[in-house]
Amino acid sequence: MYFKRILIANRGEIARRIMKTCKKLGIETVAVYSDADKEAPHVQDADLAVHIGAAQAKDSYLNIPKMIEAAKQTNADAIHPGYGFLAENSEFAKRCDEEGITFIGPSPEHICLMGNKVEARKKMAEAGVPVVPGWDGNLQSVEQAVEVAEDLGYPLMLKASLGGGGIGMERVNHADELEKVFASTMKKAESFFGDSRLFLEKYIENPRHIEVQVICDHHGKAIHLFERECSIQRRNQKIIEESPSPYLTSALRAELCKTAVQGAQSIGYANVGTMEFIFDEDKNYYFLEMNTRLQVEHPVTEEVTGQDIVEWQIKIAAKEPLNINQSDIQMKGHAIENRLCAEDPVTFFPSPGKIEELKLPSEIARFDFAVTEGNIVSPFYDPMIGKIIVYGENRETAIQKMKQTLKQINITGIKTTLPLLQDILDSEQFRNGNYTTKFIENHFEVKV
């Protein structure tokens, strides 16, 4: 028994996903819920449930004192943060430590270090991991930014030092654009991340976005679970992920994964993490960031490796050593994940409301869903209502299985991005695996 009872400091599909592994391990679970989530499935799935506040995230899912209070109230000996909300909040992890509650994730120090994009770049460069050329100092003024930009050369990306999730990023092609967006990007960084610091790095034209799943224990051992292709994005938000990447050769895959493990080990990282890289058109790769948490897209890795990533998080948090070697991890077949959102597929405006009907062909796909038939999709949180994951012996089989699955999904009462997902799967460029992060922008202009 790793822990007797785990509180899941999250909601929706990821809370339900974590509960499945806890149930498998014989661990009791505690759900937390806001006013908007009183009837949510994750609340029904848990052994215990605690109301933590109003619908707004700041009053509930982002409220550290209420999370700690809920854990103490239910005698939870560990907290799993999932992704989003408090998952990469070093103060939350630190508070858990102070209260004698195990935080299922890395140390507060590692969360803080890798959450600062400037410091993360420096550490990875020291470890021999390639980083995107740029300027890592703290930009004090727009005048300084323009001066630095002239030295680096356009186009550039202006980024929040503590940014993430595609927020606080602006491409600038010349000084006038930089002057125009500098103040607003700084304000956005302060608003979203509580830190207004910005930095500049070279803009990579037509990039691929590929990440490597790493697992490190507290005893110095580290392995990887290969890579995920995450280049199908809209405004820096991932839409479709797959593993393995159709872009990598076997040699490049081995090099990339080795580099990812090298980077994680160089900082003494412990727990599950994701090293994200960006590839240019010449197949040069550069460190982008490290996510010190469970990724939304972790199921595709589970499908091709047979590993339960949540289980590894729990075991490592309990200080168990990794009892598998890199040679034990084999990647078999191909997996694809589609994110389904409650949004208008043309305008992308949120589409909250009641789900009148929901039919999912569960016999041919894995569905990690936040909702069931009759549930209300709230306007207060991320519009993703679920993830559709398929596995095939090869990529073509997986694509056909996903297309078949999407056709059989029936959801009424709200608008969803199902038509967009179908359009992408029907695209010749996607089928050929010849796509970049510009795919949506270039092929679905009307819908962007």
Side-chain angles (χ1 to χ4, degrees), residues 283-300:
K283 290 199 172 182
N284 298 307
Y285 62 88
Y286 307 95
F287 171 78
L288 188 62
E289 63 181 358
M290 183 180 192
N291 287 312
T292 55
R293 55 168 168 78
L294 189 66
Q295 292 281 85
V296 177
E297 57 274 18
H298 76 274
V300 293

Side-chain angles (χ1 to χ4, degrees), residues 186-389:
M186 182 176 283
K187 185 176 181 180
K188 185 178 291 185
E190 176 66 36
S191 175
F192 279 89
F193 310 113
D195 192 310
S196 63
R197 287 177 294 176
L198 305 175
F199 71 102
L200 284 165
E201 66 181 20
K202 288 290 291 182
Y203 178 79
I204 306 297
E205 298 282 357
N206 297 313
R208 303 280 298 220
H209 186 151
I210 302 174
E211 62 190 28
V212 177
Q213 180 73 67
V214 296
I215 304 178
C216 312
D217 66 16
H218 288 274
H219 309 279
K221 187 174 183 178
I223 62 172
H224 66 78
L225 300 185
F226 297 98
E227 87 285 355
R228 294 184 287 260
E229 172 69 66
C230 304
S231 298
I232 299 292
Q233 303 178 6
R234 174 183 172 269
R235 296 180 182 174
N236 301 309
Q237 297 288 330
K238 300 166 187 173
I239 296 176
I240 295 178
E241 302 95 358
E242 58 181 313
S243 183
S245 167
Y247 184 68
L248 300 183
T249 62
S250 296
L252 187 52
R253 172 174 295 111
E255 180 186 335
L256 178 69
C257 292
K258 181 180 178 181
T259 300
V261 172
Q262 175 184 321
Q265 280 191 306
S266 73
I267 60 170
Y269 189 81
N271 211 268
V272 163
T274 301
M275 299 286 284
E276 302 206 2
F277 297 90
I278 194 166
F279 280 71
D280 66 19
E281 293 175 300
D282 297 318
K283 290 199 172 182
N284 298 307
Y285 62 88
Y286 307 95
F287 171 78
L288 188 62
E289 63 181 358
M290 183 180 192
N291 287 312
T292 55
R293 55 168 168 78
L294 189 66
Q295 292 281 85
V296 177
E297 57 274 18
H298 76 274
V300 293
T301 295
E302 294 183 327
E303 293 298 315
V304 296
T305 64
Q307 298 295 316
D308 184 330
I309 297 175
V310 174
E311 182 175 344
W312 280 117
Q313 286 188 296
I314 294 171
K315 287 181 175 180
I316 293 169
K319 300 298 194 295
E320 286 220 357
L322 275 167
N323 61 0
I324 56 174
N325 298 315
Q326 189 63 65
S327 59
D328 298 324
I329 306 297
Q330 302 296 321
M331 182 167 52
K332 298 179 181 179
H334 199 97
I336 300 174
E337 173 183 287
N338 285 7
R339 302 188 189 192
L340 185 65
C341 295
E343 296 176 330
D344 184 297
V346 176
T347 66
F348 287 102
F349 291 153
S351 179
K354 183 178 181 179
I355 297 176
E356 302 292 348
E357 185 177 14
L358 178 60
K359 302 298 181 186
L360 304 173
S362 56
E363 68 279 358
I364 60 173
R366 167 179 167 178
F367 293 92
D368 286 11
F369 264 52
V371 296
T372 57
E373 194 170 274
N375 285 159
I376 301 292
V377 176
S378 168
F380 295 103
Y381 313 113
D382 186 281
M384 189 181 76
I385 58 174
K387 302 179 308 198
I388 307 151
I389 307 102

Side-chain angles (χ1 to χ4, degrees), residues 12-121:
E13 69 85 14
I14 194 57
R16 301 184 79 193
R17 161 69 189 92
I18 295 164
M19 288 174 191
K20 288 181 180 178
T21 290
C22 288
K23 184 175 182 179
K24 180 179 71 173
L25 297 175
I27 300 171
E28 295 179 357
T29 56
V30 180
V32 292
Y33 64 94
S34 68
D35 288 348
D37 281 340
K38 184 177 180 180
E39 305 297 330
H42 80 273
V43 178
Q44 314 304 319
D45 290 350
D47 295 295
L48 298 169
V50 180
H51 175 254
I52 54 169
Q56 288 79 8
K58 66 180 178 63
D59 298 320
S60 50
Y61 299 108
L62 289 173
N63 191 310
I64 293 176
K66 288 186 177 180
M67 285 293 181
I68 298 297
E69 181 184 342
K72 287 185 168 183
Q73 177 186 329
T74 55
N75 294 315
D77 45 4
I79 291 179
H80 195 306
Y83 57 72
F85 293 128
L86 296 171
E88 291 178 289
N89 186 307
S90 60
E91 289 303 314
F92 181 48
K94 182 180 179 182
R95 181 70 187 278
C96 288
D97 288 350
E98 292 170 348
E99 297 290 345
I101 303 168
T102 299
F103 179 81
I104 300 177
S107 69
E109 293 75 20
H110 283 130
I111 295 173
C112 187
L113 173 64
M114 302 314 285
N116 186 315
K117 301 302 182 283
V118 171
E119 291 304 313
R121 281 169 51 88

Side-chain angles (χ1 to χ4, degrees), residues 146 149-150 154-156 171-180:
V146 169
E150 291 299 330
Y154 294 96
L156 294 165
R171 173 181 173 170
V172 289
N173 297 300
H174 47 72
D176 289 346
E177 286 187 358
L178 179 55
E179 292 172 353
K180 183 178 179 180

